[in-house]
Amino acid sequence: MKEPLVVFTDYLARKNLKMTPQRRLILEIFLKESGHHTSEDLYNIVKKSDKSIGQATVYRTLKLLCESGLAKEVNFGDGVTRYEQQYGFSHHDHIICEECGKAIAVVDDKIEQLQERLAAEHGFVLTGHEMYLYGICADCRKKDKKLKADTED
Ligand SMILES: [Zn+2]
Ligand SMILES: [Zn+2]
């Protein structure tokens, strides 16, 4: 597997773009931060290392990272675009808590196979899918219960 830096440099070269120190720093920070981050989250981290980098540069670089296959946009139904690492990570789906916004990566072989079977029944060969499950996480349910108990007293 090629290093992410090589993947990105090659991609930029194909687009006649240069690997600048700014792009390199944004890539490094993106790779270091695991999980799902908005462009603004990453901008707030980037500006601690380099104040000269603007929010628009971070946003545009994230778009380029997506196009190069290193990053992926994820949408958890709250209208906010977040980015996660894609390169070298195997396929996974997400469960999102509608109360606190926590998102966890999940994968279930049976569900994956069922999706392929469903597609085949309609004459398709699957090339990809996104599955987002929404609910209330255990922590938030505990809090809700406590809140109810408190008001009932
Ligand atoms: Zn899946
Ligand atoms: Zn929650």
Side-chain angles (χ1 to χ4, degrees):
M1 206 167 102
K2 281 196 272 181
E3 287 294 311
L5 182 63
V6 175
V7 173
F8 197 37
T9 308
D10 288 352
Y11 173 78
L12 291 173
R14 284 202 300 277
K15 301 275 275 181
N16 287 317
L17 296 167
K18 284 211 166 60
M19 173 59 86
T20 60
Q22 288 86 350
R23 285 183 179 136
R24 194 183 171 128
L25 176 68
I26 295 166
L27 170 67
E28 278 166 9
I29 286 171
F30 172 72
L31 293 174
K32 215 168 65 193
E33 298 296 319
S34 58
H36 315 95
H37 299 280
T38 66
S39 175
E40 202 177 347
D41 291 341
L42 290 164
Y43 165 67
N44 286 326
I45 302 165
V46 167
K47 74 178 178 194
K48 281 183 206 149
S49 301
D50 186 343
K51 278 200 197 83
S52 75
I53 301 179
Q55 200 164 352
T57 304
V58 174
Y59 179 76
R60 281 197 301 265
T61 304
L62 283 168
K63 290 276 163 200
L64 291 170
L65 287 172
C66 288
E67 289 165 22
S68 73
L70 293 177
K72 187 174 154 218
E73 280 188 9
V74 286
N75 295 292
F76 295 154
D78 56 2
V80 180
T81 300
R82 292 180 178 81
Y83 299 86
E84 70 174 13
Q85 289 188 47
Q86 150 116 317
Y87 187 65
F89 284 77
S90 52
H91 165 75
H92 61 262
D93 297 297
H94 293 98
I95 302 182
I96 300 110
C97 175
E98 290 191 307
E99 239 164 79
C100 67
K102 164 167 63 202
I104 61 165
V106 292
V107 69
D108 181 301
D109 285 342
K110 261 194 207 132
I111 294 176
E112 299 292 315
Q113 283 160 20
L114 283 172
Q115 292 180 108
E116 275 172 34
R117 202 186 76 194
L118 182 65
E121 282 168 10
H122 293 273
F124 281 67
V125 172
L126 275 197
T127 52
H129 69 262
E130 312 261 332
M131 183 175 78
Y132 295 107
L133 300 174
Y134 298 94
I136 313 291
C137 74
D139 289 343
C140 288
R141 285 207 322 277
K142 232 182 267 162
K143 266 183 237 151
D144 284 352
K145 243 188 225 159
K146 199 176 167 293
L147 221 67
K148 245 188 216 157
D150 286 350
T151 48
E152 274 164 13
D153 280 345

